[in-house]
Amino acid sequence: MNNEEVLTLPDTQNADGVVITQEVSQQRQVAWGRLWRNKYVQNNVDLIKDEYTVGRSASCDICLMKQKLKLQLLNIVSKVHFKISRTYLSDCEEDPIVYLEDCSHNGTYVNKTLVGSGKRVVLENNDVISISIPGFTAYTFMTTKALDGSGLPSVLKHKYAISRTLGTGACGTVKLIFSKIGCKKYAMKMITKKSQASNGGKHPLNDPEKIMNEVRILKALKHPCIIRMEEIVDTPSTVYIILELMEGGELFERIRSKQRLSEKCAKLIFYQVILAVHYLHESGITHRDLKPENILLASDDDVTLVKVSDFGLSKLLDSETMMKTFCGTPMYVAPEILLTGGKGAYTKQVDVWSLGVILYCCLSGRVPFNMHHSKISLQDQIVRGMYNFPPVFDHISENAKDLIRSMLTVNPGKRITISKVLLHPWLRDREMRETVNSLIREAHDENSSPTSRIRYGQ
Ligand code: ADP
């Protein structure tokens, strides 16, 4: 079965508009849904029959033995682990109800919630199915209707299937999408255009030339620690940006969940961020909005690749929207930006200041400037460079604290530059640099390996 067949349903109505049974059964020969593989299994499966059994046994419709699972995962899969079936409540019903029945010993999870042996749940578009443990995510279920890419501009509809929402940010929503050919996952950022900028002028997102200029710059950037922009589609109402997907979440969440990072772990992450920002600065680009929310991790492991995102996008926002973000919680904003209300000229040194705040956060789980200070406003603390190292820093090396001090220097002229940060003794750690190099090499090898052939169906 080829892709086209999967995505187009035959017309089931005759000239009188009456649905006839034979045609209905023909319609039901084509796929009504798809199981998109997650990283542990090898193939996607188009759902054509009314029922599918999934498990270790060779007699299952979807035999996980054939999916090249690691042995330790295969060992926790039941012979028949779960069943997926669809039922039409009546013959004229357009959409089937899809059930997942848990037939396993260890359990089947839908969206990380246990179904329970012998029980069944209704499976909905974008539900994630895990086997035996919530982390062993095998498939994402999608209905054919969703695979049609409804809501996307036609140029993207042909290429991608849209899946669940990954998050919502200041600019808009970010969705998980799958490329229909190659089955690669990406993140798609959708930015809804506003008719006017907050100052009444033309909004930068409504200026196609401005968008395309930025895009040219952003697309040309290639660095292992910078989120790659695959493509951008500009429509009258929305700008769609297809980005490399990062599956380990934001640095912000990582710090929060661990309370603070060990010095070793912080160094491994921070060095990669420095490599990215160094590259941006060398390319003549200032990020302007560096914060732990814009630093994304490739995996849940401690030793993970890190990438900086959202660079340059700030230029597509009007300055007032930008200032709102800054002034909402200017936790990472350099003093010179606050002093000029965001309107003055400032240099790439603003990024170094933000990096100083980020390193402080990584190592302590706290921010250097206190929002709840009763006497001195947050802005004043930043402008005066008022912060200290509380007891949580007692076990942190002097080198790390020295680097923070050099970055959190109020005078941008005296603040350390990104090239000098790279040479700072805290980051001259051979073992850490070798680990980063091998992470970068592995990611490069993975990306350059020939894309596995797509196989629809069994
Ligand atoms: P903001 O504009 O406020 O920085 P974003 O729009 O960049 O926020 O991101 C919104 C959400 O989408 C965040 O939770 C972020 O983790 C997620 N996200 C953004 N880009 C990616 C990506 N490339 N891969 C995975 N998740 C992403």
Side-chain angles (χ1 to χ4, degrees):
M1 164 152 293
N2 68 27
N3 208 7
E4 282 303 303
E5 277 169 309
V6 172
L7 297 169
T8 44
L9 294 174
D11 194 353
T12 59
Q13 294 204 325
N14 66 8
D16 311 324
V18 179
V19 180
I20 46 176
T21 321
Q22 194 191 359
E23 283 177 314
V24 169
S25 65
Q26 261 173 19
Q27 171 182 343
R28 289 171 191 180
Q29 286 303 305
V30 300
W32 45 271
R34 182 178 294 167
L35 295 178
W36 284 97
R37 69 181 187 91
N38 280 327
K39 64 181 171 193
Y40 300 105
V41 294
Q42 220 187 7
N43 298 327
N44 298 320
V45 183
D46 277 338
L47 303 170
I48 298 159
K49 300 192 304 169
D50 282 337
E51 183 176 287
Y52 284 82
T53 47
V54 184
R56 194 160 40 90
S57 160
S59 62
C60 282
D61 300 298
I62 302 169
C63 170
L64 292 171
M65 291 280 266
K66 295 179 191 158
Q67 295 290 316
K68 299 208 173 137
L69 287 186
K70 283 187 187 152
L71 194 61
Q72 82 218 66
L73 290 179
L74 202 56
N75 283 341
I76 54 174
V77 179
S78 296
K79 282 187 181 149
V80 177
H81 206 95
F82 61 91
K83 268 186 210 165
I84 292 182
S85 55
R86 61 138 184 199
T87 320
Y88 284 89
L89 292 181
S90 77
D91 256 356
C92 347
E93 204 73 38
E94 229 182 78
D95 298 321
I97 296 189
V98 180
Y99 293 106
L100 179 144
E101 185 183 333
D102 189 352
C103 316
S104 68
H105 286 298
N106 291 328
T108 306
Y109 292 77
V110 172
N111 300 328
K112 308 218 164 159
T113 303
L114 180 67
V115 177
S117 194
K119 297 197 179 129
R120 66 177 191 172
V121 290
V122 171
L123 207 54
E124 296 197 53
N125 189 45
N126 284 326
D127 279 350
V128 178
I129 304 167
S130 314
I131 295 176
S132 298
I133 43 172
F136 176 10
T137 52
Y139 294 105
T140 301
F141 167 73
M142 283 179 84
T143 60
T144 307
K145 246 192 181 170
L147 282 167
D148 186 30
S150 306
L152 285 181
S154 55
V155 48
L156 290 175
K157 216 186 247 189
H158 291 127
K159 281 198 198 162
Y160 303 100
I162 191 161
S163 182
R164 66 174 195 276
T165 301
L166 290 169
T168 310
C171 309
T173 310
V174 180
K175 296 260 187 193
L176 171 67
I177 58 169
F178 296 83
S179 62
K180 288 181 180 171
I181 297 174
C183 304
K184 240 185 125 181
K185 292 189 221 168
Y186 296 95
M188 179 177 70
K189 193 175 257 206
M190 296 183 288
I191 307 175
T192 312
K193 290 183 183 178
K194 288 187 199 149
S195 51
Q196 279 192 330
S198 11
N199 62 9
K202 194 175 187 184
H203 196 282
L205 281 174
N206 278 337
D207 187 340
E209 212 170 300
K210 192 159 188 168
I211 290 185
M212 283 318 165
N213 252 338
E214 277 311 306
V215 168
R216 257 192 295 278
I217 299 169
L218 298 180
K219 272 187 101 170
L221 292 175
K222 282 194 184 118
H223 189 277
C225 298
I226 285 182
I227 294 278
R228 178 117 183 86
M229 180 191 282
E230 293 295 326
E231 63 181 298
I232 183 159
V233 173
D234 180 22
T235 71
S237 62
T238 315
V239 178
Y240 299 84
I241 303 169
I242 314 292
L243 300 163
E244 189 179 357
L245 177 73
M246 295 296 275
E247 301 198 74
E250 300 171 1
L251 175 59
F252 182 82
E253 274 310 317
R254 184 68 55 97
I255 301 171
R256 197 158 66 174
S257 69
K258 292 186 181 272
Q259 295 188 324
R260 62 176 170 273
L261 304 181
S262 69
E263 193 165 335
K264 190 173 176 190
C265 189
K267 195 187 283 190
L268 184 91
I269 290 177
F270 193 70
Y271 176 64
Q272 297 180 62
V273 178
I274 296 298
L275 288 179
V277 178
H278 180 254
Y279 172 81
L280 285 180
H281 286 190
E282 291 286 297
S283 314
I285 292 173
T286 305
H287 188 294
R288 307 205 302 171
D289 193 18
L290 284 168
K291 53 188 177 189
E293 292 90 326
N294 284 339
I295 296 167
L296 302 177
L297 310 168
S299 76
D300 293 336
D301 303 333
D302 277 351
V303 177
T304 179
L305 201 63
V306 172
K307 295 189 193 235
V308 172
S309 81
D310 267 2
F311 45 87
L313 286 185
S314 56
K315 282 206 198 137
L316 295 181
L317 298 179
D318 59 308
S319 63
E320 254 176 72
T321 311
M322 216 38 214
M323 269 324 278
K324 254 190 233 154
T325 332
F326 284 163
C327 297
T329 33
M331 203 51 85
Y332 303 91
V333 177
E336 59 270 31
I337 297 183
L338 293 178
L339 282 170
T340 60
K343 297 204 168 83
Y346 43 85
T347 65
K348 42 192 172 192
Q349 287 298 82
V350 297
D351 285 345
V352 177
W353 175 277
S354 308
L355 289 167
V357 183
I358 292 170
L359 180 55
Y360 187 107
C361 294
C362 289
L363 292 169
S364 66
R366 297 153 178 242
V367 281
F369 306 104
N370 187 350
M371 264 208 289
H372 307 292
H373 201 296
S374 56
K375 297 212 176 80
I376 308 168
S377 73
L378 186 62
Q379 271 85 346
D380 280 347
Q381 292 171 50
I382 295 172
V383 166
R384 291 194 232 162
M386 282 178 60
Y387 71 95
N388 57 23
F389 291 119
V392 61
F393 276 93
D394 288 354
H395 302 290
I396 305 290
S397 69
E398 202 39 55
N399 271 342
K401 286 187 267 196
D402 180 73
L403 180 55
I404 293 175
R405 279 189 212 101
S406 341
M407 290 191 284
L408 294 184
T409 300
V410 173
N411 181 342
K414 293 197 174 145
R415 195 176 301 150
I416 189 170
T417 61
I418 199 80
S419 317
K420 295 245 168 75
V421 174
L422 265 180
L423 299 174
H424 190 277
W426 190 63
L427 291 174
R428 282 210 232 141
D429 175 334
R430 186 184 289 179
E431 191 189 323
M432 177 278 292
R433 288 189 180 212
E434 273 169 12
T435 310
V436 170
N437 284 340
S438 62
L439 281 170
I440 291 174
R441 253 196 321 272
E442 272 167 33
H444 179 266
D445 292 348
E446 237 170 68
N447 282 337
S448 48
S449 69
T451 329
S452 51
R453 222 167 62 79
I454 351 150
R455 283 175 49 194
Y456 296 108
Q458 281 289 286

